[in-house]
Amino acid sequence: MSGRFTEGFTPLIKLEHIEKRYASANKEVLALQGINLHIAKGEVFGIIGRSGAGKSTLIRMLNLLERPSSGTVTVDGQAISNLSSSALRQVRQKIGMVFQHFNLLNARTVLENVCFPLRLAGLSKAAQQARAQEVLSLVGLEEHTHKYPRQLSGGQRQRVGIARALANHPGLLLCDEATSALDPETTQSILRLLLDINQSLGLTIVLITHSMDVIRQVCDRVAVIDEGRVVEQGEVVEVFLHPQHEVTRSLLEETGNESEDWRSLATGIQGCILRLSFRGDTTAQPILSRVSRELNVEVSILQGTVSRIKDTPYGQLIVAIQGESTELARLTGILDELGVQAEELQS
């Protein structure tokens, strides 16, 4: 890891040797198996997988809406897996959850929806309303407090859900496909809101999604889950640039990354074909022109992506390089000097 989450960090959340079994029609279904995850305080951690992979079951382990069949769930130093129901209710007050389909009380106003968990926590009516107004202002709904959910757009209803999840000053926010029911423009506004909350409140956020674009925009680290197992995890930029598992590569290909379209363009090219990966300030540097000038080679771009992963610029290009073999031998050294990782795909 890099940035805020360096090696040796103290995790806010630890999942150790988690398994979840369900009995179904005279057989046992293993929904999660061998799950080990550590999530740092203050990070945005993504869990991605296809439908049925087990990601919803996994995120519900973090507040024990689903209890593991075996293994240990630790939150902020406390093992919560074996807590009594009353002790677990106290823990859950500090874990907010945002749902895909909002889960609002349709017969209550926006203000009343946000006050609901505060009433359960035993706050006075005045304290409930003061806190509810505070979080509704945070999510930009201070002018909608007396409306009912049916009078709001989908994005506004999700903002109510986020305000309600924040009402009890949680240290952890769980987002269960929080943007899946929204249109693309509204999805962007909700993702920006979640980032603002993470950065302004220092709140740890764990979200599940089936979209690599959501992971790219807001997450620091990611776990890829398939058939109940974590098949890959790490810093988002590393997973994007150097995916190790076929499921990860398949998810990336759907966003335009990891496409094999370049192969048709490479037919008949003399020289070598490289995948170049770079990040940070290197992204804006004239790397290809320097390589071409210093080595006296021709460089053709067959495929490329230049974008951002959260706050980090990154790029990945597949290029064909044609020139004298003695010059090509110097290529790796120059790329290393420029901070570019190179992988030979074809020679």
Side-chain angles (χ1 to χ4, degrees):
M1 289 185 293
S2 66
R4 290 180 292 165
F5 312 107
T6 56
E7 188 173 348
F9 72 93
T10 301
L12 177 71
I13 302 164
K14 291 195 294 185
L15 298 179
E16 298 177 295
H17 313 298
I18 295 295
E19 292 194 350
K20 179 63 178 179
R21 302 180 186 86
Y22 295 101
S24 173
N26 299 320
K27 67 177 182 178
E28 188 175 74
V29 176
L30 191 56
L32 295 176
Q33 46 189 320
I35 302 292
N36 292 285
L37 288 177
H38 287 188
I39 299 172
K41 184 176 182 179
E43 76 174 320
V44 182
F45 191 93
I47 299 170
I48 189 168
R50 301 196 184 281
S51 297
K55 56 187 185 295
S56 290
T57 302
L58 179 55
I59 199 170
R60 290 163 67 89
M61 291 284 166
L62 302 183
N63 58 3
L64 271 292
L65 288 178
E66 293 276 2
R67 287 185 177 268
S69 302
S70 61
T72 304
V73 180
T74 303
V75 177
D76 202 15
Q78 181 180 24
I80 67 172
S81 319
N82 300 314
L83 290 180
S84 66
S85 296
S86 60
L88 190 54
R89 280 195 293 272
Q90 295 298 314
V91 170
R92 284 177 179 154
Q93 287 186 10
K94 296 304 179 183
I95 302 176
M97 192 159 190
V98 183
F99 300 92
Q100 178 179 359
H101 295 294
F102 321 130
N103 284 22
L104 301 179
L105 302 169
N106 291 321
R108 300 195 180 189
T109 66
V110 166
L111 185 67
E112 290 169 337
N113 266 277
V114 179
C115 284
F116 183 70
L118 298 169
R119 181 169 64 84
L120 295 179
L123 273 68
S124 68
K125 187 171 183 179
Q128 291 174 35
Q129 294 195 353
R131 176 58 180 165
Q133 293 281 6
E134 183 180 353
V135 290
L136 284 168
S137 178
L138 179 66
V139 302
L141 291 180
E142 59 268 35
E143 297 180 0
H144 300 274
T145 56
H146 299 299
K147 291 183 179 179
Y148 289 87
R150 65 180 178 274
Q151 297 174 290
L152 303 178
S153 67
Q156 289 171 331
R157 278 179 280 173
Q158 192 57 285
R159 286 172 182 264
V160 177
I162 292 170
R164 180 184 57 191
L166 296 175
N168 271 321
H169 300 278
L172 172 63
L173 183 65
L174 309 179
C175 298
D176 187 356
E177 295 275 14
T179 60
S180 294
L182 305 175
D183 62 70
E185 183 177 355
T186 307
T187 291
Q188 295 303 311
S189 72
I190 294 297
L191 292 179
R192 286 193 296 270
L193 175 60
L194 290 174
L195 269 180
D196 288 343
I197 289 168
N198 166 251
Q199 292 166 1
S200 62
L201 302 181
L203 190 64
T204 305
I205 298 177
V206 180
L207 62 85
I208 65 170
T209 181
H210 58 269
S211 169
M212 273 294 192
D213 277 336
V214 169
I215 297 294
R216 178 179 61 81
Q217 291 180 66
V218 299
C219 294
D220 299 294
R221 292 192 301 130
V222 62
V224 182
I225 186 171
D226 183 56
E227 296 184 345
R229 294 182 181 273
V230 173
V231 296
E232 186 164 355
Q233 62 176 302
E235 187 185 1
V236 172
V237 69
E238 282 297 323
V239 171
F240 263 68
L241 294 179
H242 307 291
Q244 301 299 307
H245 195 275
E246 61 182 299
V247 170
T248 313
R249 289 192 287 269
S250 176
L251 289 166
L252 284 170
E253 188 169 346
E254 292 171 9
T255 68
N257 293 59
E258 284 296 302
S259 169
E260 294 291 310
D261 292 346
W262 62 269
R263 293 189 181 278
S264 61
L265 299 175
T267 304
I269 286 181
Q270 301 297 316
C272 65
I273 296 176
L274 304 177
R275 179 186 284 116
L276 306 181
S277 302
F278 40 93
R279 67 173 78 181
D281 294 341
T282 306
T283 308
Q285 300 303 311
I287 294 167
L288 298 185
S289 59
R290 178 175 170 183
V291 166
S292 177
R293 183 177 63 253
E294 292 194 15
L295 297 182
N296 192 28
V297 294
E298 294 182 349
V299 181
S300 303
I301 299 175
L302 304 180
Q303 183 174 295
T305 298
V306 177
S307 188
R308 300 184 73 88
I309 293 176
K310 200 170 184 179
D311 299 323
T312 304
Y314 81 99
Q316 191 165 71
L317 303 177
I318 295 178
V319 299
I321 299 182
Q322 302 178 77
E324 295 292 335
S325 59
T326 54
E327 295 301 315
L328 293 175
R330 294 174 49 204
L331 179 60
T332 302
I334 290 179
L335 291 173
D336 284 343
E337 179 186 335
L338 294 171
V340 178
Q341 293 177 288
E343 175 190 357
E344 187 170 354
L345 302 178
Q346 182 178 309
S347 60

